Amino acid sequence: MDLLEYQVKEWFNKMGIPVLPSQRIDHPTDLKRLKIRYPIVLKSQVHADERAKAGGVRIVETTIDAIAAAQNIFNLPIWGELPEVLLAETKYDAKDEFYLAVVLDTALCRPVLLGCKEPDIDWESPGEKMQYVVVEQEFSPFYARRLGLKMGLQGALIQSISDIVEKMYQLFVQKDLDLVEINPLAVSVSGQVMALNGKVRVNERAINRHPEIAQMAAKMLGRHRSSKINSTLGDWDGLEMHGKIGILGNGTGSVLTTLDAVVNAGGKPGVSLNLRHSFLTDTGPTTFCDRLETGLKILAADKSIQVILINFLGSIPQVSEVPEVIANFIQLDPKELKSHLSNGSKNQPKHLPRLVLRLAGSDFQDARKYLATLKPEGETLIIVENLDEAVTQAVRLSKLPAYKR
Amino acid sequence: MNLTPDSKVLIQGFCEFISATHIAQMKAYGTNLVAGVDPGCGGQQIYDLPVFDLVEEAISKFGQIDTTIICVHPYKVLDAALEAIASHIRQIIIISAGVPPLDMVELLRKTETHEILLVGPNSPGIIVPGKILLGTQPSEFYTPGSVGIVSRSSTLTYEVAWELTRAGLGQSISVSIGSDAIVGSSFSQWLQILDEDETTEAIVLVGQPGGESEEAAARYIAEAIDKPVIAYIAGRHAPTTKSWHQSGNLATVVRRDHNFGTTQNKSAAFQAAQVPVAEYPAQIPQLLKKVMGNR
């Protein structure tokens, strides 16, 4: 989950990372009560990186200009996202601009400090300009000084940059971040440093152990109940595709193998969800069956999905409750799906997708027996043991006309 | 490594990922489960196991423990593992899924310097078919034999085992190292174990997109593994939605590998190491029969 710039700067400020005087603007008229001095920079608070290019950043000299610019920015969607708030910030004159980051490298299984003496990194070929230091053992400030030296810094600047990196690292560990970035870090003529913009990415697996972050996540979800959730919150253990066959599984590998099998059999996979972890949309604790129920509803609410292919093998938590969840689902009135519709679309599904269940393993004996007693009409529920057979059935059903109740 | 039926096994915590059925299955398989540890539940019996508040209490009662199976809430995994290490337990299997990655970084800093075998998190553990089950792997898919399986996906491990069993190929050891972003042991570590294991004649490696553990494994196979290896990577047709900027692998980008983490990259690495790559699970037995016949 990415934070917005103003939230990042609140955190920076608390950590002692220098940021400019700034003010949150909820409405253009807030600019009449501005406590910081002109000229100011008005910045749209959206997640997109290309905000400046899109016109979401304006430098203004007077209140009148500021209000006009603010009205403009409030109505300017960037990558489909309208800002809820703007940030008004003092303008700053920098002599140099650097790039600094602390990031978790999952390949090395260690945090890495990154630094570059240029702020506009061409990520396609960062080449030799980007320096990095792997934090092998417990962090100590020497790791940050090592980065400073590698960046080619000299004199007092080594210390002031490594102080900033140290604070970034503390923030990184305290809040369970995947990334904390300052881009650019401005250096003034007098050698004073200032974080002009920053980025913070919170690890989704750790959100719920930080009450204040969980609260921010809940708010963000409340605002963005749209398909954009995926991009603003990062990976939520799902894949967004647009085919007719939705997939539910209990594990990433299993979901991916099912998806491959559907393609191999000539079918088109749709949204595919891994039920092993809680979804990011779950702000409280969930059980496997909660996730199964939610997963079924998410998929059913997607108009393009005509078949839901469930692949469970081995053992799953609370297996005894699974048949009930399935039985409730096939008896569901499609109108009840309204609240689960991700985009508030007016085109409600008029029918539920058909279900193909692949259940393999002795854990499912009772579930299979129970589900076999439900005999819904129109091939709405098929239970098989073999994956290839389940896939064949799902692909066949996806090519039939939709089942009408 | 001690994977014999006489090794003493502890369970720390009872979360959603472990049930009475798993514990009964382990016992039926001959695993020497001695006790559970669940703070606040000391003195109780859970799933027919005596429960203690602390690992050291279990040790004072039963003597040194060889393996612990950690199944506490993901936020408590680090603490449970550190407790086990403090009690000199050398084999740690973490079943819990979704451990915050920075907790794993801290744990790895410890285990890497202490010669501790760490499996998981988000792993169903290890099975030696017909001998011992350490974790939640469903034993019904397995049959004793000579194919070793190392995987980083749980359910896919069983899928592959089942295909092998149905094709008449038994298994020697099967381990899922876990499917969280940061896990305790690597493919290479397990390839080495399987290479040294006398009953193992051939190895199946099961991977998925993300990270570079498969690529590292491919290099390791080319350098150090004599037994035939077959690879299978799920997700050939999955969209590569996660760009580098989202994957938290800036440092890897610095090293300039554009195809980082993709199924294609992994398949290419195995092909370069002359490891046959199966396109779907049912193809694995066919490929295995070929390489095992050639020996």
Side-chain angles (χ1 to χ4, degrees), chain A residues 104 110 201 260 276 358 362, chain B residues 112 122 140 159 235 245 248:
Chain A
L104 180 61
R110 291 291 191 274
R201 178 161 297 153
D260 287 349
R276 193 165 176 82
R358 186 272 177 128
S362 44
Chain B
E112 283 173 358
N122 201 354
E140 68 267 26
E159 190 82 70
H245 211 221

Side-chain angles (χ1 to χ4, degrees), chain A residues 12-314:
Chain A
F12 281 180
N13 197 28
K14 277 187 204 151
M15 292 305 297
I17 295 171
V19 288
L20 291 165
S22 67
Q23 208 170 316
R24 179 185 149 153
I25 306 294
D26 292 282
H27 189 270
T29 51
D30 290 354
L31 286 156
K32 289 178 184 162
R33 290 176 293 275
L34 201 64
K35 293 181 193 85
I36 54 177
R37 268 200 270 160
Y38 285 94
I40 59 162
V41 187
L42 279 176
K43 302 189 203 179
S44 179
Q45 297 297 291
V46 289
H47 289 95
D49 284 332
E50 294 90 346
R51 164 179 86 148
K53 241 185 254 170
V57 178
R58 302 276 194 88
I59 300 167
V60 285
E61 311 264 350
T62 65
T63 308
I64 295 171
D65 286 352
I67 291 172
Q71 273 164 348
N72 204 304
I73 298 173
F74 269 118
N75 291 307
L76 177 78
I78 300 175
W79 284 87
E81 190 187 347
L82 274 177
E84 291 270 308
V85 293
L86 311 186
L87 188 68
E89 194 174 70
T90 307
K91 192 177 168 294
Y92 192 77
D93 289 317
K95 179 169 91 45
D96 289 310
E97 290 190 341
F98 297 167
Y99 173 92
L100 291 177
V102 181
V103 62
L104 180 61
D105 189 308
T106 50
L108 296 168
C109 303
R110 291 291 191 274
V112 174
L113 313 177
L114 287 170
C116 179
K117 277 171 91 174
E118 290 172 27
D120 299 314
I121 296 112
D122 173 10
W123 285 110
E124 292 299 310
S125 55
E128 302 305 310
K129 289 175 193 161
M130 184 64 78
Q131 301 299 329
Y132 69 97
V133 170
V134 181
V135 184
E136 287 289 349
Q137 291 303 317
E138 280 303 305
F139 180 85
S140 193
F142 79 83
Y143 282 111
R145 291 197 298 275
R146 197 182 270 172
L147 178 74
L149 202 70
K150 275 186 148 183
M151 286 167 70
L153 304 179
Q154 286 174 338
L157 209 50
I158 292 187
Q159 198 54 47
S160 52
I161 296 288
S162 73
D163 281 349
I164 301 277
V165 173
E166 185 182 347
K167 285 166 183 164
M168 290 167 79
Y169 192 87
Q170 285 165 359
L171 183 68
F172 180 78
V173 172
Q174 273 175 27
K175 308 273 189 188
D176 275 303
L177 307 182
D178 281 342
L179 166 74
V180 52
E181 184 181 81
I182 298 180
N183 185 29
L185 178 85
V187 183
S188 72
V189 182
S190 61
Q192 180 199 31
V193 290
M194 187 65 73
L196 296 191
N197 196 1
K199 187 174 209 161
V200 159
R201 178 161 297 153
V202 180
N203 186 274
E204 65 245 41
R205 298 274 167 254
I207 286 178
N208 285 325
R209 71 170 164 189
H210 302 283
E212 86 281 18
I213 303 176
Q215 233 172 37
M216 288 163 103
K219 258 189 210 160
M220 199 182 284
L221 283 164
R223 268 205 309 271
H224 300 277
R225 281 231 173 261
S226 74
S227 56
K228 287 282 290 170
I229 282 176
N230 208 354
S231 50
T232 46
L233 293 182
D235 176 21
W236 46 294
D237 256 344
L239 289 166
E240 265 197 284
M241 297 175 83
H242 304 287
K244 290 180 175 179
I245 303 173
I247 296 166
L248 294 177
N250 186 31
T252 312
S254 205
V255 168
L256 291 173
T257 289
T258 314
L259 187 150
D260 287 349
V262 166
V263 176
N264 288 338
K268 290 200 169 65
V271 172
S272 304
L273 301 175
N274 172 12
L275 303 177
R276 193 165 176 82
H277 298 284
S278 57
F279 301 133
L280 270 180
T281 44
D282 301 324
T283 35
T286 61
T287 65
F288 180 83
C289 281
D290 294 339
R291 300 194 288 274
L292 174 60
E293 195 185 333
T294 310
L296 283 167
K297 286 179 178 170
I298 291 174
L299 263 48
D302 184 327
K303 276 181 294 150
S304 55
I305 289 178
Q306 292 186 7
V307 180
I308 297 176
L309 172 56
I310 297 181
N311 181 10
F312 293 155
L313 84 164

Side-chain angles (χ1 to χ4, degrees), chain B residues 150-163:
Chain B
V150 56
S151 160
R152 66 173 173 126
S153 156
S154 308
T155 40
L156 206 42
T157 316
Y158 328 143
E159 190 82 70
V160 169
W162 197 33
E163 290 291 353

Side-chain angles (χ1 to χ4, degrees), chain B residues 80-283:
Chain B
L82 292 176
E83 188 187 353
I85 293 168
S87 298
H88 310 289
I89 301 179
R90 292 298 181 84
Q91 292 181 181
I92 300 174
I93 295 169
I94 305 172
I95 307 286
S96 318
V99 178
L102 287 179
D103 285 7
M104 282 309 296
V105 169
E106 201 175 326
L107 187 53
L108 283 175
R109 282 179 181 146
K110 259 232 144 71
T111 54
E112 283 173 358
T113 51
H114 281 69
E115 291 196 16
I116 287 163
L117 182 72
L118 180 64
V119 175
N122 201 354
S123 160
I126 306 167
I127 184 169
V128 182
K131 289 213 174 76
I132 188 171
L133 171 60
L134 296 168
T136 61
Q137 297 229 28
S139 58
E140 68 267 26
F141 296 133
Y142 288 93
T143 180
S146 61
V147 179
I149 304 175
V150 56
S151 160
R152 66 173 173 126
S153 156
S154 308
T155 40
L156 206 42
T157 316
Y158 328 143
E159 190 82 70
V160 169
W162 197 33
E163 290 291 353
L164 295 179
T165 294
R166 290 200 307 167
L169 290 167
Q171 307 87 35
S172 51
I173 298 181
S174 170
V175 57
S176 168
I177 60 172
S179 37
D180 273 0
I182 294 184
V183 292
S185 53
S186 64
F187 275 134
S188 306
Q189 258 173 290
W190 279 96
L191 285 165
Q192 193 190 348
I193 292 169
L194 292 170
D195 203 37
E196 288 167 7
D197 176 54
E198 282 171 13
T199 38
T200 304
E201 283 176 34
I203 303 166
V204 178
L205 186 150
V206 184
Q208 62 186 43
E212 65 172 359
S213 47
E214 290 83 358
E215 288 84 340
R219 290 190 293 271
Y220 184 73
I221 292 167
E223 280 169 26
I225 301 296
D226 299 323
K227 292 177 183 173
V229 182
I230 305 293
Y232 167 66
I233 317 291
R236 302 165 70 88
H237 297 290
T240 48
T241 46
K242 286 182 241 170
S243 70
W244 65 268
H245 211 221
Q246 288 165 329
S247 66
N249 269 295
L250 285 159
T252 312
V253 169
V254 174
R255 297 199 299 264
R256 282 185 292 184
D257 185 354
H258 293 303
N259 247 331
F260 180 82
T262 60
T263 307
Q264 288 71 19
N265 208 37
K266 293 170 193 301
S267 295
F270 283 116
Q271 270 146 16
Q274 296 187 319
V275 172
V277 181
E279 286 180 30
Y280 46 91
Q283 207 182 29

